[in-house]
Amino acid sequence: MLTKRPEERSATDPSLSERPASASTVVHRKSGMLWAMAGQGVMSATRFATVVLIGRLGSEHELGLYSIGFGALVLVVGIHEAFVTTPLTVFLPRKRADQQAAYLGFALRCTWQLAALLSTVLLVVAIIARSFQELSELPWVFVGVAAALPLVLLREFSRRLQFVHARMKTAFVLDCSVAFVQVGGLLLWLTLARPTALIGLIATGLACGVAAFFWWNVESIDFAQDPQSRGSEIQEHAKFGSWIFGENLVSTVHTYFGHWFLTITSVATASTGIYSACLNVILLVNPFLLAITSIMVPRVAQAYSQHHRQAVAALTWKFVAFVGGVMSLFAVFTAAFGGWLAEFLFGAEYGGHSKEIAWLGVMMIFQGINYTASVGLRVLNFASWTLISGLVGLSTTAFLAIVVFPNDLFGIVQSFVIGVAAIAVLRLLLLVRLSY
């Protein structure tokens, strides 16, 4: 049986969720936001440190390969998010206390089964990639992603569970353990050889494995192992996650379209590595953005459980305005210091791209709007429209990159920014319609 801790009851007890928030509750929420932002900061800093180590001490070529492998990892993690962790976040608070252990056991089994399936698919992709003679290292990159994936998914499952139960401190500890092992492992490797894309992916998998092992040994929740098929939950997750999967797929393809396009159309992957470096300068703000959306999902889901659609829309607008304002300040910062920061972090060979980074800083304003508006639309059961808007944005970027703008780094940046802006406009228009 699953035992609820006192701090978990507000997420599962409707009678408590309907009460006005006390002063202690407000303080707890603010503390949770700070811990969530700290955790996201550690995660983003870990990814950023990995990129800097590979790009600065390895080469632009290796950074380009790593960005392709990491893009594949993001894609498959998005599948897990759509069909397992996001439905878990929404549906677990709606389950009775005596149902939660069995439901968690079902979600955990889904994680392992999905990991096995997706790793197999990646190994097949690695075999197909052998046909690209000019990129002989590419198959090994996909092998590295396939090896790391089961541990990455288990870590993602454990982390999302901490957010569901508002255990932000535990999530922060898990994030710190990943950072210590991943960055420490890469630094240890530097005593032997230069970092490569494959070593970066292996370090990611090992770090997530350590965090998952730590979580499994301290987790007090019981996971009921029901061998019988849970057909209703499978249908529930599939129906809810299908639109989210489509959105995640389109979003990932959109985000990494520039990497893949430059890899295919350029003579070498060096230009892909430079593009990845410019993007990673912009992603310094990701801890804030991801922390806000991680906190936003359960809060908006709880508002929906009280059957107030307009309350969900109003809460979404607050997040949209807040995030948009912060992203605007960040855009000003990147326009002023982004080029210098890229050269300082990655080396002189990455300099001279202030214009591209300034454009990408503006893109983050629209991206912040997209993230927060998407959460509200999902909870309001308009996930199909988030997918449609994402397709419009991807199509816009692809058309501009292939037909309109020059086939170079700045052309890719312009195409990407305009495509992301198109998504923001469509989602805001729909949110306006749902608010009245």
Side-chain angles (χ1 to χ4, degrees):
M1 179 68 66
L2 177 68
T3 303
K4 289 195 295 182
R5 299 174 180 177
E7 64 267 24
E8 298 168 10
R9 291 176 186 163
S10 62
T12 56
D13 188 343
S15 63
L16 291 178
S17 66
E18 295 170 1
R19 296 175 186 173
S22 63
S24 60
T25 301
V26 173
V27 171
H28 178 72
R29 285 180 179 176
K30 290 182 178 179
S31 174
M33 180 177 294
L34 291 176
W35 282 111
M37 291 182 64
Q40 292 292 351
V42 170
M43 285 182 61
S44 295
T46 302
R47 288 193 291 263
F48 190 76
T50 301
V51 169
V52 170
L53 288 173
I54 295 174
R56 190 179 184 93
L57 302 179
S59 65
E60 300 99 316
H61 174 69
E62 288 295 338
L63 181 56
L65 288 173
Y66 177 77
S67 66
I68 295 172
F70 190 77
L73 188 62
V74 170
L75 179 62
V76 294
V77 169
I79 298 174
H80 177 249
E81 177 188 1
F83 291 109
V84 180
T85 57
T86 298
L88 174 70
T89 303
V90 174
F91 296 139
L92 183 62
R94 304 179 187 180
K95 302 290 183 181
R96 298 195 312 267
D98 59 345
Q99 297 176 326
Q100 292 189 1
Y103 180 67
L104 287 172
F106 157 77
L108 185 60
R109 287 195 303 276
C110 286
T111 296
W112 284 117
Q113 293 164 357
L114 196 59
L117 174 63
L118 294 175
S119 292
T120 302
V121 171
L122 285 167
L123 291 176
V124 173
V125 172
I127 295 174
I128 296 174
R130 294 184 62 186
S131 60
F132 294 91
Q133 298 297 328
E134 65 277 10
L135 294 174
S136 57
E137 303 97 329
L138 192 58
W140 288 109
V141 170
F142 286 114
V143 170
V145 176
L149 181 61
L151 298 175
V152 172
L153 292 192
L154 184 59
R155 185 261 180 143
E156 290 293 324
F157 178 87
S158 64
R159 191 173 188 278
R160 181 61 67 93
L161 199 57
Q162 308 314 310
F163 279 105
V164 172
H165 292 304
R167 297 200 295 266
M168 306 304 181
K169 291 183 182 179
T170 305
F172 176 75
V173 172
L174 292 176
D175 296 334
C176 289
S177 65
V178 171
F180 179 79
V181 176
Q182 185 169 329
V183 178
L186 284 173
L187 292 174
L188 182 62
W189 178 261
L190 285 175
T191 63
L192 304 174
R194 298 175 68 182
T196 64
L198 181 59
I199 292 301
L201 293 168
I202 291 174
T204 300
L206 290 176
C208 290
V210 170
F213 178 80
F214 169 77
W215 163 74
W216 187 258
N217 283 277
V218 302
E219 182 62 77
S220 62
I221 293 178
D222 294 326
F223 294 88
Q225 301 299 316
D226 184 2
Q228 297 181 355
S229 174
R230 299 179 65 85
S232 60
E233 279 83 1
I234 292 175
Q235 293 178 6
E236 191 175 45
H237 278 230
K239 181 178 179 181
F240 183 86
S242 58
W243 292 112
I244 298 176
F245 164 69
E247 182 189 349
N248 285 347
L249 176 62
V250 170
S251 176
T252 302
V253 172
H254 195 184
T255 300
Y256 287 91
F257 174 83
H259 299 78
W260 301 331
F261 187 78
L262 288 172
T263 300
I264 293 171
T265 58
S266 301
V267 177
T269 53
S271 58
T272 307
I274 293 174
Y275 180 60
S276 177
C278 292
L279 274 177
N280 275 277
V281 171
I282 298 303
L283 294 180
L284 285 170
V285 77
N286 249 18
F288 166 78
L289 186 57
L290 295 176
I292 290 296
T293 51
S294 296
I295 293 171
M296 182 181 176
V297 171
R299 288 189 61 183
V300 175
Q302 186 177 11
Y304 180 81
S305 68
Q306 300 174 10
H307 306 290
H308 297 308
R309 190 183 78 171
Q310 292 180 341
V312 173
L315 183 59
T316 302
W317 274 114
K318 291 180 180 179
F319 277 100
V320 167
F322 176 62
V323 171
V326 174
M327 293 297 110
S328 297
L329 294 176
F330 180 74
V332 174
F333 170 80
T334 54
F337 304 105
W340 170 84
L341 193 57
E343 188 171 350
F344 172 77
L345 292 169
F346 293 95
E349 61 271 26
Y350 293 90
H353 299 288
S354 300
K355 180 171 59 176
E356 288 85 352
I357 295 175
W359 271 71
L360 291 172
V362 174
M363 181 270 296
M364 289 305 296
I365 301 174
F366 301 116
Q367 197 73 294
I369 294 172
N370 290 339
Y371 275 42
T372 47
S374 176
V375 172
L377 293 174
R378 286 179 182 181
V379 174
L380 289 169
N381 297 319
F382 281 87
S384 59
W385 284 99
T386 63
L387 172 58
I388 292 171
S389 62
L391 285 170
V392 170
L394 173 59
S395 301
T396 301
T397 294
F399 174 79
L400 293 175
I402 297 171
V403 178
V404 178
F405 292 118
N407 181 19
D408 58 15
L409 179 60
F410 186 52
I412 286 295
V413 169
Q414 289 177 295
S415 304
F416 186 41
V417 173
I418 295 173
V420 173
I423 299 173
V425 170
L426 289 175
R427 291 183 181 174
L428 286 178
L429 289 175
L430 182 59
L431 196 58
V432 168
R433 181 180 177 184
L434 295 175
S435 299
Y436 299 101

